[in-house]
Amino acid sequence: MALKKIIMKTAVHNCNIQMKRNHILLQVILIVTGLTFYSCSAATESLSTEQAYAELKLPEEPDSLQIHSIVQASRIWGFAKYHHPAFASRSVNADAEYFRLLKDILQAPDSMRNDVCSKWISGLGSYAIRDIEDDGNTETFNDFNWISDSLLLGKSLSESLMKLRDADPKGNRYVKQTPVNVSYIETQYSDIPQDDVAYRLLGVAKFWNAVDSYSPNRNLTDRPWDKVLPEYIALAFDRSVSFSALYSRMVSELCDTHVNSWYVPIFGGRFVPLMCRFAEDRLFVTDTCSLVPNNLEIGDEIILIDSVCPIKRLNELAPYIPHSNRSSLLRDGSYATLLTAKDEVCVKYVRDGKTYTATIPSVDGNSFVNRRFPSQNGSTKPGFKEVAGDVGYINIGSLTCKDEQDLERFLASYDKLIIDLRTYPAEYDVLYKLLPNFFFSQAREAAEVLLPLANRPGRFIRTTILTSKTSDPDKLYKGKIVLLVNAHSQSMSEYFTMFLQTIPGSVTIGSQTAGADGDVTRIQLPYAAFYITGAGICYPDGTNAQRNGVKIDIVVEPSAEGMMRGEDEQLQAAIGYLI
């Protein structure tokens, strides 16, 4: 009987041990199953942006450690967004994943935040490694070397990111390759909280990472691009700064004249309706417009606008005005300084040594912009004309392919020629279909295009672009040629200039161009969208045209005296050179 009890007791004990083992095994299975489910869930389906936003609780006044954690999470999120093949799937919502990652980071102890990021990356699922040999004909503009910092990231997270750098992104759905740049595919939100901190953070992270991964010009900024993100993550929490001010300052950090900005409504949204231009840091009237009556004349120097000196006003606006160089800042600042919130503005100006004061009604920003752009960027002038004796003049802003026969007759009449590129070309086809007939005796290297690659973040392909060649050498123009440029020579105009500079013996006269070459691409952010230069443009010798502008043989800057006399000193210099 005692033996039976011992046997029964032993059996029960063994049963209990087995039950415990089974329980432990069940727990392990549940944990593994839970982890596997997390991995599969994250890799196959995200929350909606609205759901993830609702779960995110941001601190009202984050401390420095929280700001640092958000900056790091933003970089890791953007790196994974463009490298991990999970983001090729339409069921993985990058915006929701950003909110979700921020939530987990902010809820975790400081010592666990790297682990949270590692877990998030693991949860996106497995991936294949791309063929490194495919990089043979590409160049690097960003090697993402921050991911190797194991002291900052921890060994596990750093290794995870370094491995992810070589992942095959499998047709990422947030970027698309085009022949001229990378196109960004982002959600345009129409029903989100106004000027919300979470969406501001999302906008900052989107823009910074888009540039970081796909702009060959990221290394041309005044400040290292790596230093830009922390400032604007912190500024996104400052509710005294509107999203338009936040974004305008952020996008201006790219130092790209192509970038559009929202600074007009920030500084009043209305304009004193005058066309002006800076010379020697002084502001002169170049067109009195016709939007409101005023007594000003061309050549008048504006010395005060509501008691503020124009150049001082420009320096206040400069952080909000995207510009590749000082010349393009002065160009756009010449009208930005006329911004106001008032219905009337007091303008003090000088004419013939005497000082006058006028009260001028302001106009709505749209009215003035619509008046300004046709005046500065378009042209109603004839495509070609005589400017002095036997000097012919071609205005690239009016020249079209339909003008071929008239142009042929015109060129036959002059052995000295000025081609004015201080405006935007009327037709792109002119470069390949019209100009070669008369100016390009053979195909010559004109430019190099640095094309970013959608499936290779941080890398680009360099392609040399040749001019076309005339099919009829008898039509070739054999006279002297001067190319005229200034800050209004931008983008296509700069590209045209680089091609025309291949003409043997041609001379370029003028002042620094806008320094924004290459096709633009659009980035949609919460609340606003922005255009940026989408490719790099260099001369065949490697000289960068972005920011620098085109090469100039004879520099002629407008002078204050010339502005007061209403003279086109650059045109006069070109005529003087030819005769």
Side-chain angles (χ1 to χ4, degrees):
M1 187 68 178
L3 180 60
K4 185 176 182 181
K5 287 182 178 180
I6 292 172
I7 294 172
M8 290 181 63
K9 187 175 181 180
T10 302
V12 170
H13 177 71
N14 290 340
C15 183
N16 287 338
I17 291 175
Q18 185 64 40
M19 288 178 65
K20 287 180 180 178
R21 287 175 178 171
N22 290 342
H23 179 68
I24 293 172
L25 179 61
L26 179 61
Q27 286 183 317
V28 172
I29 292 172
L30 287 174
I31 291 171
V32 172
T33 303
L35 289 175
T36 303
F37 176 78
Y38 170 79
S39 173
C40 294
S41 174
T44 58
E45 187 171 1
S46 300
L47 296 174
S48 69
T49 305
E50 294 75 17
Q51 289 172 320
Y53 167 81
E55 294 182 2
L56 174 61
K57 305 301 179 186
L58 292 170
E60 286 291 319
E61 297 182 2
D63 58 34
S64 59
L65 284 176
Q66 289 173 318
I67 290 293
H68 170 77
S69 295
I70 294 172
V71 170
Q72 181 170 298
S74 298
R75 294 189 80 170
I76 291 169
W77 167 80
F79 182 83
K81 174 183 177 181
Y82 293 127
H83 283 83
H84 202 294
F87 293 98
S89 169
R90 301 199 69 82
S91 61
V92 178
N93 181 334
D95 294 359
E97 291 296 320
Y98 180 67
F99 288 154
R100 179 169 166 263
L101 181 58
L102 289 190
K103 181 196 74 171
D104 292 345
I105 284 288
L106 292 171
Q107 288 179 348
D110 293 342
S111 61
M112 296 298 293
R113 286 173 178 170
N114 287 338
D115 293 334
V116 169
C117 290
S118 291
K119 182 179 178 181
W120 176 73
I121 292 172
S122 297
L124 293 173
S126 60
Y127 51 84
I129 300 299
R130 59 184 173 80
D131 188 352
I132 305 299
E133 293 182 0
D134 290 345
D135 291 344
N137 63 339
T138 67
E139 298 177 46
T140 300
F141 67 84
N142 185 5
D143 62 4
F144 305 100
N145 60 2
W146 61 272
I147 64 176
S148 63
D149 189 347
S150 58
L151 291 177
L152 176 66
L153 301 170
K155 182 179 178 181
S156 175
L157 178 56
S158 177
E159 288 179 350
S160 177
L161 291 168
M162 291 177 71
K163 181 182 177 183
L164 182 57
R165 179 168 55 186
D166 295 327
D168 183 351
K170 298 285 187 186
N172 190 294
R173 75 182 183 96
Y174 291 97
V175 287
K176 179 182 179 182
Q177 189 70 55
T178 78
V180 294
N181 54 37
V182 166
S183 177
Y184 299 98
I185 304 167
E186 296 288 351
T187 301
Q188 183 172 346
Y189 294 104
S190 58
D191 187 20
I192 57 176
Q194 183 65 31
D195 220 348
D196 179 81
V197 172
Y199 281 100
R200 285 154 59 111
L201 286 170
L202 177 62
V204 170
K206 279 189 178 188
F207 185 83
W208 188 88
N209 280 291
V211 171
D212 197 52
S213 289
Y214 294 112
S215 175
N217 303 313
R218 93 181 266 284
N219 300 323
L220 302 180
T221 54
D222 287 340
R223 287 204 296 166
W225 194 244
D226 289 341
K227 304 293 185 183
V228 171
L229 182 61
E231 177 178 341
Y232 291 94
I233 289 292
L235 197 61
F237 282 94
D238 188 344
R239 291 163 177 81
S240 68
V241 178
S242 66
F243 85 85
S244 53
L246 169 71
Y247 280 176
S248 292
R249 284 181 54 180
M250 175 181 67
V251 300
S252 295
E253 294 279 1
L254 191 52
C255 303
D256 180 1
T257 311
H258 264 147
V259 176
N260 57 304
S261 178
W262 285 53
Y263 66 85
V264 171
I266 299 172
F267 296 99
R270 299 180 67 80
F271 285 93
V272 180
L274 296 169
M275 301 298 296
C276 299
R277 186 174 180 181
F278 278 103
E280 300 179 35
D281 285 348
R282 296 158 62 182
L283 190 65
F284 297 91
V285 176
T286 58
D287 185 345
T288 58
C289 297
S290 57
L291 296 175
V292 297
N294 62 74
N295 295 321
L296 278 80
E297 297 178 1
I298 293 174
D300 288 348
E301 180 184 359
I302 297 177
I303 57 174
L304 293 175
I305 303 170
D306 276 342
S307 303
V308 180
C309 174
I311 197 66
K312 180 180 179 181
R313 175 68 164 158
L314 175 61
N315 292 334
E316 294 171 351
L317 293 169
Y320 300 87
I321 302 176
H323 56 281
S324 299
N325 50 47
R326 179 71 176 173
S327 294
S328 57
L329 174 63
L330 291 171
R331 182 197 75 184
D332 292 343
S334 66
Y335 77 93
T337 55
L338 303 172
L339 272 165
T340 182
K342 298 179 179 180
D343 292 331
E344 290 184 335
V345 175
C346 179
V347 174
K348 184 173 287 189
Y349 61 98
V350 175
R351 180 190 303 158
D352 297 328
K354 297 181 179 180
T355 301
Y356 302 88
T357 300
T359 299
I360 302 176
S362 66
V363 297
D364 176 72
N366 289 331
S367 300
F368 183 68
V369 169
N370 291 337
R371 172 67 174 80
R372 167 184 169 257
F373 275 107
S375 172
Q376 293 189 349
N377 296 337
S379 179
T380 57
K381 298 178 181 178
F384 28 85
K385 63 181 181 180
E386 181 180 296
V387 289
D390 57 351
V391 178
Y393 170 95
I394 295 176
N395 177 12
I396 206 70
S398 299
L399 190 65
T400 71
C401 290
K402 295 179 180 179
D403 297 323
E404 181 170 3
Q405 292 183 355
D406 291 338
L407 179 60
E408 183 176 2
R409 288 191 293 269
F410 178 78
L411 293 175
S413 303
Y414 299 94
D415 61 358
K416 301 178 184 68
L417 181 67
I418 295 170
I419 303 178
D420 195 341
L421 295 117
R422 298 176 298 173
T423 187
Y424 204 76
E427 287 183 5
Y428 180 71
D429 283 349
V430 164
L431 183 61
Y432 287 100
K433 296 181 179 180
L434 179 62
L435 296 181
N437 296 334
F438 305 103
F439 300 109
F440 300 146
S441 60
Q442 63 185 55
R444 293 185 174 90
E445 294 183 354
E448 290 183 341
V449 175
L450 314 183
L451 177 67
L453 303 173
N455 64 343
R456 296 290 187 271
R459 302 187 73 86
F460 64 83
I461 291 179
R462 185 185 299 266
T463 303
T464 300
I465 308 298
L466 304 177
T467 66
S468 296
K469 175 184 175 181
T470 184
S471 58
D472 186 355
D474 292 336
K475 288 185 177 181
L476 284 172
Y477 181 74
K478 298 176 177 61
K480 296 172 64 176
I481 297 175
V482 167
L483 311 176
L484 273 186
V485 297
N486 68 4
H488 291 284
S489 307
Q490 177 173 325
S491 194
M492 195 193 302
S493 179
E494 292 175 292
Y495 199 61
F496 271 48
T497 302
M498 294 171 74
F499 274 63
L500 290 167
Q501 286 176 331
T502 67
I503 301 171
S506 64
V507 172
T508 304
I509 293 177
S511 52
Q512 187 178 40
T513 60
D517 215 331
D519 290 85
V520 296
T521 187
R522 182 177 182 271
I523 304 176
Q524 177 68 53
L525 307 180
Y527 308 116
F530 295 91
Y531 289 91
I532 68 172
T533 302
I537 302 292
C538 298
Y539 279 92
D541 65 3
T543 302
N544 218 311
Q546 185 73 13
R547 296 210 65 186
N548 294 323
V550 303
K551 295 179 180 181
I552 299 175
D553 299 304
I554 302 174
V555 175
V556 178
E557 297 281 358
S559 68
E561 287 297 322
M563 296 298 294
M564 283 187 278
R565 294 193 297 267
E567 296 176 353
D568 186 342
E569 294 168 284
Q570 293 172 335
L571 178 60
Q572 290 177 349
I575 294 171
Y577 175 84
L578 289 171
I579 62 177

